[in-house]
Amino acid sequence: MKLVFIFLYLIFSLHVELNEAECHKNIVDVKNNLTLSRSILKVHCQSRDDDLGEHFLRFQDVAYTFSFHDSFVVLTRFKCILWKGANLEYHKTFVAYEADAFPECGVLYSWEARDDGIYLSKNGGLMKLMYLWDID
Ligand SMILES: *[C@@H]1O[C@H](CO)[C@@H](O)[C@H](O)[C@H]1NC(C)=O
């Protein structure tokens, strides 16, 4: 019985080590490309475990970025809220990242706030309009 546990432990540690070595973190970034309005972009992202706090980006500031490993236990999911406008009266809440059934490695989701809506490029692909702004 004891041997079985030792064996399982070894398999588990090996798996974790391989994972650390080969599985690059997933990256989500958010950019302010509010070309016309030149509005400040407010960003607030969080997962079940991590509240990443509020961040403010000016037009064409370096993208706000966070990175993480997918969890093996629960589905990794980050929700973000973006705000724009003179009084931050435009906003949108959306799922910025959600893992597949199996943990993924090295995925890049680039979100871009534009005047007409919120765009996404996955892994360097084409920018696609995903969401329109809600207004108070
Ligand atoms: C910013 O948005 C405009 C459209 O509003 C687009 O043509 C341009 O490629 C974007 N620039 C960057 C740096 O993403």
Side-chain angles (χ1 to χ4, degrees):
M1 196 59 191
K2 211 171 162 190
L3 262 179
V4 170
F5 278 116
I6 291 172
F7 183 69
L8 283 177
Y9 176 77
L10 284 178
I11 295 278
F12 180 76
S13 355
L14 189 66
H15 183 78
V16 168
E17 270 170 34
L18 283 178
N19 187 43
E20 290 291 307
E22 292 174 5
C23 185
H24 292 288
K25 286 182 174 182
N26 300 315
I27 300 175
V28 171
D29 57 38
V30 182
K31 205 164 73 180
N32 178 344
N33 187 14
L34 298 165
T35 312
L36 300 176
S37 61
R38 300 291 163 104
S39 162
I40 288 278
L41 181 72
K42 178 180 164 185
V43 184
H44 186 185
C45 299
Q46 63 187 115
S47 68
R48 210 174 50 97
D49 301 325
D50 289 314
D51 185 333
L52 303 178
E54 295 181 345
H55 299 267
F56 294 86
L57 300 179
R58 283 163 305 179
F59 176 61
Q60 285 187 345
D61 267 354
V62 174
Y64 164 63
T65 297
F66 57 94
S67 59
F68 50 89
H69 284 294
D70 278 358
S71 164
F72 281 88
V73 188
V74 290
L75 221 59
T76 302
R77 189 172 188 268
F78 279 91
K79 195 185 75 178
C80 293
I81 313 177
L82 302 186
W83 291 264
K84 68 148 189 162
N87 301 303
L88 298 177
E89 67 275 27
Y90 293 90
H91 49 85
K92 186 70 203 178
T93 303
F94 59 97
V95 175
Y97 177 84
E98 187 165 46
D100 282 339
F102 295 103
E104 294 182 287
C105 306
V107 171
L108 170 65
Y109 280 19
S110 300
W111 292 93
E112 192 177 301
R114 293 188 186 173
D115 295 289
D116 61 338
I118 297 160
Y119 287 71
L120 171 64
S121 155
K122 286 187 181 178
N123 300 315
L126 226 58
M127 277 281 166
K128 277 192 0 197
L129 176 62
M130 301 296 283
Y131 302 107
L132 298 176
W133 295 99
D134 294 330
I135 185 161
D136 290 335

